[in-house]
Amino acid sequence: MTTRSTKLPGVGTQYDISTRAGRRVSVVAHQDGRRFLAFYTPDDPDACQATVPLDPDEAGSLAKILEPGEAQTPGLGTCGLDIDLVTVRIPLTGHSPYSGEVLGETKARTRTGASIVAVLRRTGPVPSPTPDFRLETGDVLVAVGTKEGVDELTRIISGT
């Protein structure tokens, strides 16, 4: 296992971890306390599969869970909800009515309950895109929601 840190001026620090199995995971620690986890494909260690934004509380909870030797993590429990969430990738083709439009125009969460949590673009991933983020043909939207919600969002984005 190897680790490497890289200062990101004005942002924070990126920590790269290469596991013994050859997988690569990164954590970008922003100066304001936010964290982003990034996962990379084993066959192309530079291709980001997905990113997960974490606020300071979420990052702290994850750190407690990952700490070796912890049989039970104090303060963490079940919330009593049994919700099956799925993550999908939705390609944005030239046939989409949202190609060239801002993300907010999709009204994804309002219409489907699903959230667009990242946009994968050829130039790199964009975690937590804002409503004014302009979509382009070739983007891949990463959405999280119920199966029904992401299916409906896929239909809406594809324009079918």
Side-chain angles (χ1 to χ4, degrees), residues 135-147:
L135 299 170
E136 297 177 0
T137 297
D139 286 347
V140 176
L141 310 181
V142 179
V144 175
T146 63
K147 172 87 169 91

Side-chain angles (χ1 to χ4, degrees), residues 11-100:
V11 175
T13 305
Q14 178 172 332
Y15 299 93
D16 293 309
I17 302 162
S18 296
T19 68
R20 288 181 186 90
R23 297 297 307 258
R24 188 171 138 228
V25 178
S26 290
V27 176
V28 176
H30 287 252
Q31 293 168 344
D32 65 4
R34 292 176 302 135
R35 302 291 188 263
F36 287 89
L37 294 176
F39 302 93
Y40 296 84
T41 59
D43 55 327
D44 184 356
D46 293 324
C48 185
Q49 278 183 305
T51 59
V52 178
L54 301 171
D55 67 26
D57 291 336
E58 294 165 334
S61 293
L62 181 60
K64 288 178 186 176
I65 292 169
L66 293 174
E67 186 175 340
E70 290 292 313
Q72 290 185 334
T73 304
L76 295 179
T78 61
C79 60
L81 297 175
D82 187 18
I83 301 174
D84 290 324
L85 296 178
V86 296
T87 303
V88 298
R89 292 178 180 210
I90 306 169
L92 192 77
T93 68
H95 300 292
S96 173
Y98 299 102
S99 183

